[in-house]
Amino acid sequence: MEIPIFTVDAFTNVPFKGNPAAICLIENELQDDLYQSIAAEMNLSQTAFISKQNSMDFSSGARFGLRWFTPKCEVSLCGHATLASAAVLFYLKKNVNPVVVFETMSGELHVRQHEESLIMDFPLNKPQPQDQHEMKDLLKAVVGDLPIQDVCYCPTTWNLMIRLADTCDRPEAEALLKNESTGKIKGVIVTMKGAPNAQPGYDFYSRYFAPWYGVLEDPVCGSAHTVLAGYWSEKLNKKKMLAYQCSSRGGELELELRDDGRLNISGRAQIILQGTLKI
């Protein structure tokens, strides 16, 4: 079996920045253990598999199946690998449709081109405030002694969100996540308010850690921003925001809360590798 495979840096217009995802184009569904073996082999935070479903081919079809796997397990929502998947269809396969639709575990996700960016139609997942004292050991493991302003939890994505005080320089987290025993947390978002009056004017910063999924730090996480957008929109009273995830690679996301309760996530992508996976 030969499977076309690509590496795409998402949420950046510069190679080797943003978040790399492996994208596989498959003619027919594979066995689940094979999906997982391929993702473990690629050893990136996400490997995505695009299947034809009822579409005749990848250039003319408008609807595709999409699944995402970390090196450890399948996940129900991934932003950067969705952006990367659309980049392969639009930029390499020259898909003729203005919008492609991915059928996923999180429902239908629409992606369209707009100038040099790709715009994804994603769910909005607002987090709920939490009592800091009930998880003080976990919080200390993540951010040490840095001052915390808010702690929230999103049950839909299983993400804990920690907002640092505005006096902090940037989110930092050195000791990682050995104090979570409830089984309810699969990722931790660390965030803080940005400086929108400076250039380029980021409304907020973040970092994302998901060792439970086999991803120590995800360089730029689109699904985490479905949580962050809901939180910061209320705090900043804004529906359009510019966000920066300040991992070592770094990445930029444009966010827009829509009137129908969903979220547009916009970003760029660079395809840096293409080849054939032989099994």
Side-chain angles (χ1 to χ4, degrees):
M1 184 191 306
E2 294 188 349
I3 299 173
I5 188 166
F6 311 89
T7 300
V8 184
D9 290 341
F11 295 119
T12 181
N13 60 349
V14 179
F16 314 123
K17 295 292 185 179
N19 199 353
I23 309 300
C24 296
L25 302 179
I26 57 174
E27 299 288 332
N28 301 294
E29 290 291 342
L30 309 176
Q31 296 292 327
D32 278 355
D33 59 347
L34 185 52
Y35 288 112
Q36 192 59 69
S37 294
I38 293 171
E41 181 76 11
M42 301 314 299
N43 199 32
L44 295 174
S45 62
Q46 297 287 344
T47 297
F49 298 86
I50 309 173
S51 58
K52 285 184 177 179
Q53 301 288 82
N54 297 324
S55 295
M56 293 297 293
D57 58 55
F58 294 109
S59 298
S60 62
R63 301 183 69 87
F64 302 93
L66 184 61
R67 298 176 70 176
W68 312 279
F69 288 78
T70 76
K72 188 175 180 180
C73 62
E74 185 172 12
V75 297
S76 60
L77 183 64
C78 177
H80 86 277
T82 302
L83 190 81
S85 297
V88 169
L89 293 179
F90 283 128
Y91 301 157
L92 280 183
K93 292 300 177 178
K94 307 299 181 183
N95 193 284
V96 297
N97 296 283
V99 178
V100 294
V101 181
F102 294 117
E103 298 178 8
T104 77
M105 292 174 63
S106 293
E108 292 186 353
L109 302 177
H110 298 236
V111 186
R112 60 185 171 91
Q113 295 187 79
H114 178 69
E115 297 176 349
E116 296 182 354
S117 296
L118 296 169
I119 301 178
M120 303 185 295
D121 171 4
F122 262 45
L124 182 65
N125 298 306
K126 294 185 178 182
Q128 304 164 358
Q130 302 293 301
D131 185 349
Q132 296 185 30
H133 300 290
E134 293 181 359
M135 53 187 72
K136 60 181 181 179
D137 292 338
L138 174 61
L139 298 178
K140 185 171 181 61
V142 178
V143 301
D145 295 324
L146 293 174
I148 296 172
Q149 183 156 333
D150 275 332
V151 176
C152 299
Y153 175 69
C154 178
T156 307
T157 63
W158 295 37
N159 281 327
L160 184 71
M161 192 206 79
I162 305 168
R163 176 184 174 183
L164 299 180
D166 295 343
T167 53
C168 295
D169 291 332
R170 287 279 183 92
E172 294 292 343
E174 301 300 330
L176 287 181
L177 319 180
K178 297 179 180 179
N179 295 278
E180 207 293 300
S181 59
T182 67
K184 296 180 179 180
I185 296 172
K186 297 298 183 183
V188 173
I189 306 164
V190 182
T191 187
M192 63 173 291
K193 186 177 179 181
N197 294 326
Q199 290 297 326
Y202 295 117
D203 291 289
F204 62 87
Y205 300 105
S206 69
R207 289 177 72 182
Y208 182 65
F209 307 93
W212 300 278
Y213 285 131
V215 181
L216 186 60
E217 179 171 7
D218 199 19
V220 192
C221 183
S223 61
H225 282 79
T226 68
V227 180
L228 288 161
Y231 174 85
W232 283 110
S233 176
E234 291 185 355
K235 297 298 181 182
L236 302 175
N237 193 28
K238 299 179 71 172
K239 287 193 172 183
K240 291 185 178 181
M241 293 170 288
L242 183 62
Y244 186 77
Q245 190 158 332
C246 47
S247 63
S248 59
R249 292 176 63 101
E252 184 176 282
L253 307 89
E254 295 181 48
L255 309 170
E256 181 177 4
L257 279 73
R258 299 182 350 204
D259 292 338
D260 62 1
R262 290 181 65 84
L263 174 68
N264 283 346
I265 303 177
S266 303
R268 298 183 182 184
Q270 292 286 309
I271 299 170
I272 63 166
L273 182 149
Q274 54 183 314
T276 303
L277 187 64
K278 296 184 178 181
I279 301 172

